[in-house]
Amino acid sequence: MEEKKTMLSGIKPSGDLTLGSYLGPLHHWPKMIEEYDCYYFMADLHAITVRQNPADLRRRTVEQLAQYIACGLNPDKCTIFVQSHVHQHAELGWVLNCYAMFGELSRMTQFKDKSAKNADNINGGLFTYPSLMAADILLYQPDLVPVGEDQKQHVELARNIVQRFNGVYGDVFKMPEPYIPKVGARIMSLTNPAAKMSKSDNGDTGRVTLMDDPNVIMKQFKRAITDSDTERCVRYDPENKPGVANLMQIYASATGKTFDEIEREFDGLGYGRFKPAVGEAVVEMLRPIQDETKRILADRAYLESVYRAGAEKASRAAERTLRRVYKKIGFVAR
Ligand code: AQP
C-alpha cells in the first residue's frame, strides 16, 4: 500500500478561537485526515511572543484541543499535540535561527504588524518567530502545509532556510509547499473589514469566538459594518464593498451557497435582512461545535490522554529529523 503523505498545521492559543480560526484553517482540517498523515498542534510556544496570562494560556490550550476534536479531528486518526510538549520544536527552532538571516526576518510583515501592536514588548521571540515556525514544519517533513494568506511569507522563509541548509548538508529537509484554501481564506473583522479577525482583539465588536453565546453572535452581526455606498445591495465586490464581501464569504462558508445564489437570495432586500441572516447561519453552524466542546471539556482525563499520546507520537517523528540535523551540523551524539 502506498504510504500516506504528511500534513501539518497549528493555531496559537493566544486568544479564544474565532470564526476566522474556524473558517480559515480549522474546518478544512478534518477533510485532510483520510488522505494525509496529519499533525495538528496548539502552538503555545508561539503564543508567548505576546505576553499571556498563565491561567488563560493553560485554559485556552486545553479548550483549543477540545475544539479541534469537536470540529471533527478524530484523535485516533491524526496526531494532536501541545507544541511545548515536544521539545524538538524549540531545539530545531534554535538551530534554524542560525540559518535565517537578519535581513529576511526583518522583512516579515507579521513582525512589523505585531511590533506595532505591542510596542512595549518587541522581544526577540517575536522577531525569530518564523524560524520556530520553520522548525514546526520541517521536523515532520510534510508534503503539504495549509496556511492562511498571512502566513505564506513565513512558509516562503522556511523554503529559503531549506535551500540554504540543504545546500550545505545535502538533502536533509523536504521542501514545504504552502496550500491556501480558496473559500474562507481570510475572514475580516466585522467592524473593520480592512483588518483580519484576530483571536487577540479583545473588547472589540469585530470578533466572533467559537464559544460566543448566540445572542452575542447575533448582536455582532447586526452591528457589522457594511458599506457606505448608496446602492445598499448584497453584491460580491471585495474592492468597493469589502464589508459586504466579508459577510458574503462567511455566509457562503456557513451555508455552502455560492456568491451568485446569495446575491439572488437577498436581491432587493438590503442589509437589514442580510446581516441577521448571516448571524443565524453562523449560530447554527457553531451550535453543534459548542455542544460537543462543552461535552469533551468535561472529560479532563480523556483530554489528557489525547495530548499525551499525541506528544509521544509527534516526538518520535520529530526526533528522527532532529537527530539527523544534529549529526549533519557536527554535534556529538549523546
Ligand atoms: N481571520 C482569519 N481568517 C482566516 N484565517 C485566519 N487565521 C487566523 N485568523 C484568520 C489563520 O489561522 C492559522 C493559525 O493562526 P495563528 O493563531 O497561528 O496565527 P494568527 O494568524 O496570528 O492568528 P490571530 O487570530 O490573528 O492571532 P493573534 O491575535 O494572536 O495574532 C494561520 O494560518 C492564520 O492564517
Side-chain angles (χ1 to χ4, degrees), residues 154-196:
H154 290 166
V155 181
E156 282 307 321
L157 178 58
R159 288 170 64 87
N160 289 348
I161 293 176
V162 168
Q163 207 165 32
R164 197 168 294 135
F165 195 97
N166 285 359
V168 180
Y169 304 104
D171 235 359
V172 178
F173 296 122
K174 184 182 268 181
M175 191 58 88
E177 296 295 338
Y179 159 71
I180 300 177
K182 290 273 177 295
V183 176
R186 196 168 157 89
I187 303 299
M188 311 310 276
S189 158
L190 298 184
T191 48
N192 176 11
K196 184 180 77 153

Side-chain angles (χ1 to χ4, degrees), residues 102-322:
F102 183 85
E104 52 191 2
L105 289 169
S106 313
R107 283 194 292 277
M108 296 294 110
T109 47
Q110 198 175 74
F111 171 68
K112 292 181 200 162
D113 292 350
K114 294 255 144 105
S115 305
K117 268 193 186 174
N118 302 279
D120 56 344
N121 183 24
I122 306 177
N123 58 69
L126 208 54
F127 187 67
T128 58
Y129 184 110
S131 313
L132 180 59
M133 183 168 155
D136 299 335
I137 298 169
L138 300 178
L139 279 172
Y140 302 92
Q141 309 277 18
D143 300 278
L144 198 70
V145 187
V147 287
E149 199 70 53
D150 46 341
Q151 297 283 351
K152 206 172 144 197
Q153 203 186 18
H154 290 166
V155 181
E156 282 307 321
L157 178 58
R159 288 170 64 87
N160 289 348
I161 293 176
V162 168
Q163 207 165 32
R164 197 168 294 135
F165 195 97
N166 285 359
V168 180
Y169 304 104
D171 235 359
V172 178
F173 296 122
K174 184 182 268 181
M175 191 58 88
E177 296 295 338
Y179 159 71
I180 300 177
K182 290 273 177 295
V183 176
R186 196 168 157 89
I187 303 299
M188 311 310 276
S189 158
L190 298 184
T191 48
N192 176 11
K196 184 180 77 153
M197 186 185 286
S198 275
K199 296 184 292 295
S200 58
D201 287 342
N202 286 322
D204 155 65
T205 52
R207 191 185 71 144
V208 169
T209 78
L210 293 197
M211 299 308 282
D212 273 344
D213 189 81
N215 294 326
V216 174
I217 298 176
M218 289 306 295
K219 211 154 91 190
Q220 308 287 58
F221 277 100
K222 283 182 189 159
R223 280 192 202 157
I225 297 282
T226 33
D227 298 287
S228 50
D229 61 342
T230 46
E231 187 186 61
R232 302 202 65 75
C233 81
V234 176
R235 187 166 55 77
Y236 190 71
D237 180 356
E239 207 165 299
N240 299 307
K241 294 158 78 78
V244 171
N246 188 39
L247 291 173
M248 286 181 78
Q249 177 124 78
I250 294 170
Y251 192 64
S253 301
T255 59
K257 292 177 184 169
T258 64
F259 293 144
D260 278 350
E261 285 168 337
I262 298 169
E263 284 175 7
R264 278 199 298 276
E265 186 178 345
F266 294 97
D267 188 23
L269 295 181
Y271 302 148
R273 289 282 287 279
F274 178 52
K275 291 200 283 185
V278 183
E280 275 157 29
V282 169
V283 166
E284 287 319 311
M285 176 179 72
L286 295 185
R287 196 187 300 283
I289 297 172
Q290 295 189 346
D291 292 347
E292 190 60 2
T293 301
K294 287 179 197 152
R295 190 188 68 74
I296 298 168
L297 271 177
D299 193 347
R300 185 73 194 205
Y302 168 70
L303 286 166
E304 281 175 16
S305 72
V306 170
Y307 68 61
R308 284 211 188 100
E312 253 173 56
K313 185 165 172 235
S315 216
R316 270 197 304 276
E319 185 60 22
R320 277 195 293 276
T321 307
L322 188 66

